[in-house]
Each structure stands twice: as structure tokens, then as C-alpha cells.
Amino acid sequence: MLADPGALDRPARGRLLAGAPIAADLRAEVRAAVEAFRGRHGYTPALAALVLGRSEPFARYLQQILRACASVGLEGREVHVEGRVSAARVRAELCRLNADPHVAGIIVQQPLPRGLSPRVVTETLDPAKDVDGLTPLNTGLVTLGYGGFAPATAEATLEILRRSGVSLEGLHAVIVGRSHVVGRPVAQLLLREHCTVTICHRRTRELVSHTRQADVLVVAAGAPGLVTGEMLKPGAVVVDVGTSVIDGRIVGDVESESAARVAAAITPVPGGVGPVTNAVLMQHVIRAAEVQARASRRAATP
Ligand code: NAP
């Protein structure tokens, strides 16, 4: 399962799968790609973030994204819709960004303000610029294995596993959570890697009977402490996607102390999936820029 199989027999604590070094490698790759893109096309592609009213958590996330853009040489652009956030105004901003040739990728504040249907976004956002995999076209392409953009968090989960030397083929992967942004796309990506996949959710009976079978366990429930060490198969690799704030501290869904005594490897929270997600988003932006530049060159060729 792991590149170092002896790790499974050691009584020591599980290996920590820190996100920072993986994110740093990804950012270095993106930085080189952005530099090459600028040399070929003469402009810096932008990631636009559509901010809808005021949301403290999104504002914090946005600062991280803008820093990530700066660190890889991409332009990070904030676009604010102030006051009453109507469907018509969101559509109008998205259409404007869709049409801007320098904007390669667009992300939209999540969760959306109350009363705004997600369909306003999924039906307007150009799938070519949908770098966080929200649109039905990208969901379909990812499901069919035809490329497309998977949600960055889902892909970050896979990047962590791959770049930590976990050989996935044939493993039983269990995912706790079936959301469209994490659980389901992670399941698709793990299937593509030839895992046997089980998806659990709130109505799953005897969650522990499933988690104990997992060679790879991905927990994306938003339920702090949901998974404890005794719910794990010894030697499992655990990716804790959950992030909740308790008493001002960010915690995951896995009780890290007990889990680290049973697992072969586990991602920390914070410092695991989060940083890799931001780096994957940057990777998606430069990928989108390349595809769009090729398409506009083809369109301009008589
Ligand atoms: P979500 O839309 O609320 O979905 C949560 C999923 O977990 C649902 O499918 C739910 O089941 C399942 N679930 C919740 N409690 C459960 C329980 N006690 N037993 C079994 N299943 C349970 O959340 P999300 O957007 O997928 O996010 C999940 C977590 O990941 C959150 O903590 C979020 O903050 C975090 N997250 C982190 C990143 C990152 O970059 N690190 C990015 C995105 C999200 P039902 O479908 O039956 O309700």
C-alpha cells in the first residue's frame, strides 16, 4: 500500500502526510508553467473570485487564494457584488468574466447567499473557466474519465495519496461523505485509480463496519471526531478532509491522537488537504489558460 511497506509493522505512530511539501512542489510546477505561458502568449492569466456580499470565512479563504496566485505568478482578481445579491446581477458578472479573455478561471463564493439557487452559477459559469469543478459538464467529464475539472479538494486528496507513494490499485477505499464537492468526485477519482470504492453518509448503517474495511479512508463529513482509532483497519491510510472550527481551533473529522496509533499514515488538520487544495486550484487555472489560448488560436486561424 505504501512505498515503505515496513511502516505497517512498526508500532510507532502513523506517518504524517503533511500538505505543505506537496503544495510547494505543485506550486513550483505551476510557476514554471505560468512563466512559459507568459513567454508564449504575452499576458498573465487571471483567476477571478466572485464575492457575493460579505462572508468572513470566504474572505479568509480568498486571502489564501490571492496569496497562492501571487506565489505562482498568476493574477488574482476580486470581483465584488455588493448590496442585494440578485440572480440577475450574479449572471451578469459571470457573463462578463466568461467573456474576458484574460480571465482563465472563475471561482464563486461558497456557500452562496441565502435565496440564491446554485443553478444560477452552474448554468452561467463557462465550464472551460470552471476551475473548481462546479458545473454539470465538468462533473460529467470527470465521471466519464474524459478530463474536465474535478473540484480542487477532491483532486487534492488524490494528489496527496499519489505523491506520498500510496499505490492505490486494488485497494478498498471508503469515503465518508457524498457531497458533490468532495465525497462523490473523490469516489470517481479513486475508481479511476482502480480502487474498490464504498461511499458512506448519514444514513449508512454501522459506519464502523465500513471504515474498518478501509485500506484508504477519506473522511469529508464536517463532523469533528466522527472517526476514531478504533474505527480504523490497522495500517490504513487516512485523509481527513473535514475542517470545523471549535473554540477558535480548526479541527478535522478524525480524532487524530487515537487514529495515529492505528493508521500507517494520516493527514493533519490543519496543514493537510487545505494547502494542497489551493495549489491544485492554481494548477487548474494554468491548465484552463492553456486550453483557452489554444482554442482562440484555432478560432483565429483562417
Ligand atoms: P457537506 O456538503 O455538508 O457534506 C457532508 C457529507 O458528510 C454528507 O454527505 C453527509 O451525509 C456526510 N455526513 C455528515 N455527518 C455524517 C455522519 N455523522 N456520518 C456519516 N456521514 C456523515 O460537506 P462538504 O462540503 O462535502 O465538506 C465536508 C467537510 O470537508 C467539511 O468539514 C468542509 O469544511 C471540509 N472541506 C474542506 C476543504 C479543504 O480544502 N480542506 C474543502 C471543502 C470542504 P448526508 O449526505 O447523508 O447528509
Side-chain angles (χ1 to χ4, degrees):
M1 189 183 333
L2 281 169
D4 171 15
L8 305 187
D9 306 323
R10 284 183 218 126
R13 295 165 60 86
R15 178 156 70 101
L16 208 60
L17 303 178
I22 295 169
D25 286 352
L26 278 165
R27 280 197 304 270
E29 290 163 23
V30 175
R31 204 175 301 120
V34 172
E35 194 57 49
F37 182 96
R38 204 179 297 114
R40 271 197 308 278
H41 303 286
Y43 71 91
T44 301
L47 169 64
L50 190 57
V51 186
L52 307 173
R54 284 177 204 287
S55 154
E56 268 312 305
F58 189 74
R60 275 197 300 275
Y61 172 67
L62 184 58
Q63 288 317 306
Q64 290 174 21
I65 294 304
L66 295 176
R67 270 200 304 275
C69 284
S71 77
V72 297
L74 288 167
E75 180 195 340
R77 198 184 293 179
E78 293 176 57
V79 178
H80 289 263
V81 176
E82 307 277 9
R84 202 177 84 78
V85 182
S86 66
R89 291 181 70 199
V90 172
R91 274 198 206 95
E93 282 301 342
L94 284 174
C95 288
R96 201 175 56 74
L97 294 170
N98 285 346
D100 184 332
H102 285 193
V103 172
I106 303 168
I107 55 169
V108 182
Q109 177 179 312
Q110 301 289 331
L112 295 174
R114 206 171 314 175
L116 197 67
S117 163
R119 295 186 73 148
V120 172
V121 175
T122 57
E123 289 171 0
T124 314
L125 177 56
D126 179 353
K129 299 190 177 189
D130 171 26
V131 287
D132 209 9
L134 294 176
T135 57
L137 181 67
N138 279 313
T139 305
L141 290 172
V142 169
T143 303
L144 292 168
Y146 293 168
F149 292 112
T153 307
E155 206 163 303
T157 300
L158 268 289
E159 284 289 356
I160 290 172
L161 292 168
R162 278 195 216 104
R163 292 182 186 235
S164 304
V166 180
S167 161
L168 289 166
E169 187 172 329
L171 298 187
H172 187 178
V174 176
I175 300 151
V176 185
R178 58 175 166 177
S179 76
H180 291 284
V181 286
V182 196
R184 286 173 207 237
V186 165
Q188 291 298 341
L189 296 176
L190 286 168
L191 263 181
R192 205 192 283 175
E193 298 293 325
H194 308 292
C195 286
T196 301
V197 176
T198 301
I199 304 179
C200 304
H201 43 81
R202 262 185 253 261
R203 316 267 177 105
T204 297
R205 293 185 190 163
E206 281 225 59
L207 182 63
V208 62
S209 69
H210 298 284
T211 57
R212 275 199 191 136
Q213 289 180 39
D215 300 310
V216 172
L217 181 68
V218 179
V219 193
L226 175 66
V227 171
T228 59
E230 63 180 20
M231 295 170 72
L232 301 179
K233 177 176 176 176
V237 176
V238 181
V239 179
D240 188 355
V241 182
T243 50
S244 306
V245 179
I246 293 188
D247 298 334
R249 274 181 52 239
I250 295 176
V251 297
D253 289 342
V254 179
E255 193 187 274
S256 53
E257 268 301 307
S258 62
R261 284 195 287 272
V262 184
I266 183 167
T267 58
V269 178
V273 177
V276 183
T277 298
N278 296 349
V280 165
L281 195 64
M282 301 300 114
Q283 194 185 46
H284 285 187
V285 177
I286 191 60
R287 205 176 104 200
E290 296 281 7
V291 172
Q292 288 158 37
R294 273 199 302 276
S296 60
R297 222 184 6 240
R298 268 200 308 275
T301 310

